[in-house]
Amino acid sequence: MRQTRLLIPTLREVPAEAEVVSHKLLLRAGMIRQVARGIYDFLPLGVRVLRKVERIIREEMQRAGAQEVLLPAICPAELWQESGRWERYGKELLRMKDRNDREFCFGPTHEEVVTDLVRRDVRSYRDLPLNLFQIQVKFRDEVRPRFGLMRGREFIMKDGYSFHVDRVECDREYDNMYAAYRRIFERCGLRFRPVEADTGAIGGSRSHEFQVLADSGEDAIVSCDRCEYAANVEKAAIGDAASAATAGAGGASCSASSATALRTVATPGQRTVEEVSAFLAVPAERFVKSLVYVVDGGGPVLAMVRGDHVLSEAKLKDALGAQAVALASEDVVARVTGAPVGFAGPIGLPSGVRRVGDRALAGLVDGVAGANAADQHLVGVAHARDLADVELADLRVAGEGDACPRCDGRFVLQRGIEVGQVFHLGTKYSAAMHATVLDADGAERLLEMGCYGIGVTRTIAAAIEQNHDDAGIIWPMPLAPFHVVIVPVNCNDERLRTTAERLHDELEARGIDVLLDDRDERPGVKFKDADLIGHPLRITVGPRALERGAVELKRRTEASADEVPVEAAAARVAALVAEGLGAPPA
Ligand code: ATP
Ligand code: MG
C-alpha cells in the first residue's frame, strides 16, 4: 500500500480533548476522529487495526465451536420489559421511538435478543450446547465517556452467549471460553491477566475479567506472588485475617482486659476518618469506619471497616446474600442513627439494624467510632468487649501485601484495563423470558446460560496504553496496521524509488502488510510519522547504504538500525514478522 493513497492525517500537536496516552496517540496517528462525545470515526489505519483484532477474535471463537450471528442494534422495548431491564438499566440505555410511537433501545448488550432467538428456534436438548457470538456496534450512554476508545458511548463489542441443558455443561463451556479468551489476548500480543470478578449488574454467579496490564488502567487488581490467584480488588478474597495483613491494627494482639474504658468525646464538625483522626491524634487504623447501606432497596445495614481500609460493595453484597446494596441517603442515615452523616457507629444503634464488620476489626482495642450523636465520637472501643456480637466477614477492598486466600503468598497490586469478561448467567434470563428446552426425559427445563464479552475497540486502546513511548505507538506485530514501512529518503531519486518499490512488491507477494511512504517529504518527517504510527519494522532506503547494495532495517523498539543486503531484506522482514506474530495456533 502506498501512503499517498491513504488518508492518514497525522498531527504534531497533542489534541486538547485527549487525556490519556492511547487517546492522544490514536488522534495524532490519524486513526480516529471524534464526531460527538464518545462517538468516533475510524480512519483507514484505525480500521486496519480493528479488523485485525476482529479477525483474531473470530478465528478463536470459531475454533472454540461458537457460531457467528448478527443481531439487530435496535431492539424492541418489549424484550427488555420481559427481562425487567427496561426499568432497571437506567440512563445508560439509549431509548427511542419509531414513527408509530413504539419504543426501542440501541442495544448496550444482547442477552434479551439472543434469548428470544433461542427460545423461538431451539426446542430440544439435542440442539444444545449452543454458543452464538457477534461482533457489533453497541451504545451505552455512559455518564462520563472519556479516554477515547477506552470508554466510548458507541463502541464495538464481541458478545457471545451460550445455552445449555444443565449447569455442568454450562461450566464446561465457561472453561472453554476462558481458554479461548486466553488465546485471543495472547495472539493479540498483549500482557494480560484473567482475574476473578464481581458479576455486577448483569447478574450470575461466576465471572472472570481479562485485564490488560497497564499503569494507566482504571481497574485495580491483585495477584498472588506465589500462586495463580488473581482478582479484582473489589472481589479478591483476603486470606487469614490474623496474619500480617492486619499488621498495623492498633495492638491487634492485646487482650481485651488491657483496653481502656469507653467514653464519649466531643468532635464538633469532624466527620470523616481523616478529620477525626487529625482532631483526636489517633491513627486511622484504630478507627471503625461505619457506613449505612440499604439492601435490595429495603432494610438498613451498618457496614464497618477499619479507618484505613476501603469497603468493597461487591463483598458486602455477597456477605449479605443481597442482589444490590447502595449507600443510604442522608435522611435514612439520620433516621437509623439519630445523627447526621459522619457520626454513625456500631454501639448504641437501635436493635434490628444489622451490623456487619470487616474481619480486620477483630482484636481492635482503644479504637474510635461514631457515637450516633451529632458532633460526638466514642473512644476506647474494644472489639472483644464492645463489638463481640457484630458479624465479621471479608468486606474490604484488597491491597498490596494482603494475604492470598489459596496459599501463604502475598498480593501484588497492579492496574489493568478490562478488555473482556466471561460470566455464568445461570437461568436469570431464561427464567424471566421463559426460555426452555425438553431434556432427554422429555421434561421442560430452563436454559442454563453463559455470556462472554470483549471490548474490541477498547482492546485497541489498551494495546496502546501498554505499548508506547514518547515518540508514539509501538504496535504488537499482530495488531499493527502495517508490519513494516519502507521509507525511501528521497522519492525523486530514481534508484531509491525503484528499490523501495521492488521491496514493497516483494513483501506484498509474501503476504506481509507493507506500507511504502512514497510522500514527497523530508526523511525526518517520514521517520517521525513512522514512529508515531508505530510500525513494528522500518526499512530505510538511502543513497549511502544502497551504494553498498544494502538497506537499513530498524525495529520500532530499537534505536539503531542494521544494514541488510537488498536481496536479503524481504526474507529478513518476513522472518521478523513471523516471529512477531507468534506460532500459528495449533
Ligand atoms: P466497565 O466496567 O468498564 O464499564 P462493563 O463491565 O460494564 O465495563 P461488559 O458489560 O462486561 O462491560 O462489556 C463487555 C466488554 O465491553 C468490557 O469488558 C469492555 O471491554 C467493553 N466495554 C464496556 N463498556 C465500554 C465502553 N463504554 N467503551 C468501550 N468498551 C466498553
Ligand atoms: Mg465487565
Side-chain angles (χ1 to χ4, degrees):
M1 192 81 71
R2 274 150 219 269
Q3 192 145 350
T4 48
R5 310 299 295 274
L6 281 177
L7 177 63
I8 311 178
T10 56
L11 306 171
R12 288 282 161 263
E13 300 301 317
V14 178
E17 72 209 72
E19 288 170 63
V20 297
V21 166
S22 60
H23 191 191
K24 289 177 187 166
L25 292 177
L26 282 163
L27 290 166
R28 286 191 51 209
M31 299 207 178
I32 62 167
R33 287 291 182 262
Q34 182 174 310
V35 179
R37 260 164 54 94
I39 300 177
Y40 295 90
D41 288 326
F42 277 74
L43 279 61
L45 282 184
V47 169
R48 289 183 70 94
V49 179
L50 182 61
R51 295 292 175 250
K52 291 201 174 182
V53 179
E54 288 176 350
R55 178 168 172 194
I56 292 171
I57 293 173
R58 208 167 250 130
E59 284 177 5
E60 292 303 330
M61 289 302 288
Q62 279 162 353
R63 204 151 73 95
Q67 306 170 54
E68 185 163 359
V69 293
L70 187 56
L71 307 172
I74 307 291
C75 312
E78 291 77 28
L79 293 178
W80 283 70
Q81 282 154 354
E82 260 190 86
S83 73
R85 286 208 291 187
W86 186 256
E87 283 72 37
R88 256 184 288 121
Y89 214 92
K91 287 195 161 183
E92 261 187 41
L93 190 64
L94 179 67
R95 299 155 207 256
M96 60 196 97
K97 284 184 180 165
D98 71 4
R99 64 171 76 210
N100 298 316
D101 250 10
R102 291 189 53 171
E103 288 189 297
F104 290 84
C105 65
F106 197 114
T109 175
H110 278 70
E111 284 80 4
E112 285 81 357
V113 175
V114 77
T115 303
D116 177 54
L117 168 72
V118 170
R119 73 175 165 186
R120 284 185 284 136
D121 283 291
V122 175
R123 291 263 143 260
S124 157
Y125 73 98
R126 285 195 208 85
D127 303 322
L128 303 177
L130 189 61
N131 187 333
L132 303 174
F133 79 97
Q134 62 174 341
I135 296 178
Q136 187 215 31
V137 172
K138 299 280 190 264
F139 195 94
R140 294 183 182 179
D141 204 353
E142 301 266 356
V143 204
R144 292 215 293 156
R146 59 199 169 135
F147 306 157
L149 299 188
M150 203 84 88
R151 184 170 298 285
R153 293 198 293 166
E154 184 180 294
F155 59 97
I156 299 177
M157 196 200 287
K158 186 287 292 181
D159 48 328
Y161 308 87
S162 71
F163 298 86
H164 309 274
V165 73
D166 59 27
R167 174 76 198 243
V168 175
E169 202 186 69
C170 192
D171 276 340
R172 204 178 300 133
E173 186 61 11
Y174 184 100
D175 297 339
N176 181 35
M177 282 294 109
Y178 181 95
Y181 273 40
R182 285 198 83 110
R183 284 197 301 271
I184 288 167
F185 296 115
E186 268 159 24
R187 279 188 62 190
C188 286
L190 300 173
R191 294 185 305 285
F192 66 96
R193 260 205 109 126
V195 303
E196 289 185 12
D198 183 40
T199 47
I202 287 194
S205 58
R206 185 183 175 204
S207 182
H208 285 86
E209 288 164 354
F210 286 72
Q211 296 275 356
V212 164
L213 303 175
D215 293 338
S216 57
E218 273 189 320
D219 292 352
I221 61 179
V222 286
S223 45
C224 177
D225 60 6
R226 289 252 177 108
C227 74
E228 281 294 291
Y229 185 79
N232 194 304
V233 290
E234 294 281 328
K235 174 82 179 176
I238 297 172
D240 186 5
S243 69
T246 55
S253 57
C254 298
S255 69
S257 60
S258 67
T260 44
L262 193 63
R263 64 198 167 80
T264 306
V265 294
T267 50
Q270 316 292 314
R271 292 159 190 271
T272 65
V273 169
E274 293 71 42
E275 287 165 359
V276 184
S277 167
F279 186 79
L280 298 177
V282 174
E285 60 260 31
R286 293 225 317 262
F287 276 67
V288 181
K289 182 158 65 187
S290 306
L291 301 160
V292 182
Y293 273 85
V294 291
V295 178
D296 292 338
V301 163
L302 190 78
M304 289 161 274
V305 290
R306 233 169 61 183
D308 57 331
H309 288 155
V310 178
L311 180 89
S312 159
E313 293 187 353
K315 288 186 181 183
L316 178 64
K317 189 177 64 134
D318 288 351
L320 299 171
Q323 293 292 317
V325 296
L327 263 180
S329 65
E330 288 187 14
D331 293 352
V332 173
V333 173
R335 185 160 45 74
V336 171
T337 67
V341 171
F343 302 96
I347 301 165
L349 272 185
S351 61
V353 177
R354 189 167 168 189
R355 298 174 304 166
V356 40
D358 180 61
R359 289 190 320 219
L361 290 169
L364 175 76
V365 290
D366 206 7
V368 179
N372 299 313
D375 297 335
Q376 291 189 357
H377 278 78
L378 289 169
V379 297
V381 176
H383 170 256
R385 184 192 60 211
D386 307 315
L387 304 174
D389 55 346
V390 167
E391 293 170 58
L392 293 185
D394 178 6
L395 290 187
R396 71 180 192 272
V397 169
E400 176 87 23
D402 277 336
C404 175
R406 302 254 175 91
C407 73
D408 53 7
R410 298 271 151 202
F411 285 159
V412 179
L413 188 63
Q414 287 174 303
R415 298 208 72 85
I417 300 165
E418 182 200 320
V419 287
Q421 186 162 13
V422 292
F423 291 90
H424 171 249
L425 287 177
T427 56
K428 183 177 157 126
Y429 293 91
S430 55
M433 298 179 66
H434 309 290
T436 61
V437 284
L438 296 179
D439 69 13
D441 303 321
E444 193 170 16
R445 280 214 197 197
L446 286 176
L447 287 161
E448 277 281 333
M449 289 174 61
C451 83
Y452 319 95
I454 292 181
V456 181
T457 39
R458 186 185 283 181
T459 298
I460 297 172
I464 297 173
E465 292 293 332
Q466 189 179 71
N467 302 284
H468 66 269
D469 63 13
D470 291 342
I473 304 170
I474 305 175
W475 285 112
M477 191 67 79
L479 304 189
F482 291 97
H483 300 133
V484 55
V485 62
I486 302 175
V487 181
V489 297
N490 178 0
C491 282
N492 300 318
D493 180 325
E494 177 74 24
R495 265 187 75 217
L496 301 189
R497 203 183 63 233
T498 49
T499 305
E501 282 171 352
R502 225 179 48 235
L503 261 176
H504 168 272
D505 295 351
E506 206 180 325
L507 284 165
E508 213 165 61
R510 284 174 182 263
I512 306 287
D513 292 335
V514 51
L515 182 67
L516 174 62
D517 192 345
D518 57 343
R519 293 176 300 165
D520 188 13
E521 286 282 4
R522 283 177 293 113
V525 170
K526 296 188 183 186
F527 293 155
K528 271 213 162 68
D529 276 348
D531 281 352
L532 173 60
I533 294 166
H535 306 293
L537 301 170
R538 187 181 89 199
I539 291 177
T540 307
V541 186
R544 267 190 306 245
L546 202 57
E547 286 294 309
R548 295 186 288 272
V551 291
E552 285 184 354
L553 174 58
K554 192 182 99 59
R555 296 179 197 242
R556 174 67 178 80
T557 47
E558 279 166 20
S560 61
D562 287 338
E563 253 187 39
V564 184
V566 177
E567 316 79 66
R572 180 94 181 88
V573 167
L576 289 174
V577 170
E579 181 192 301
L581 292 177

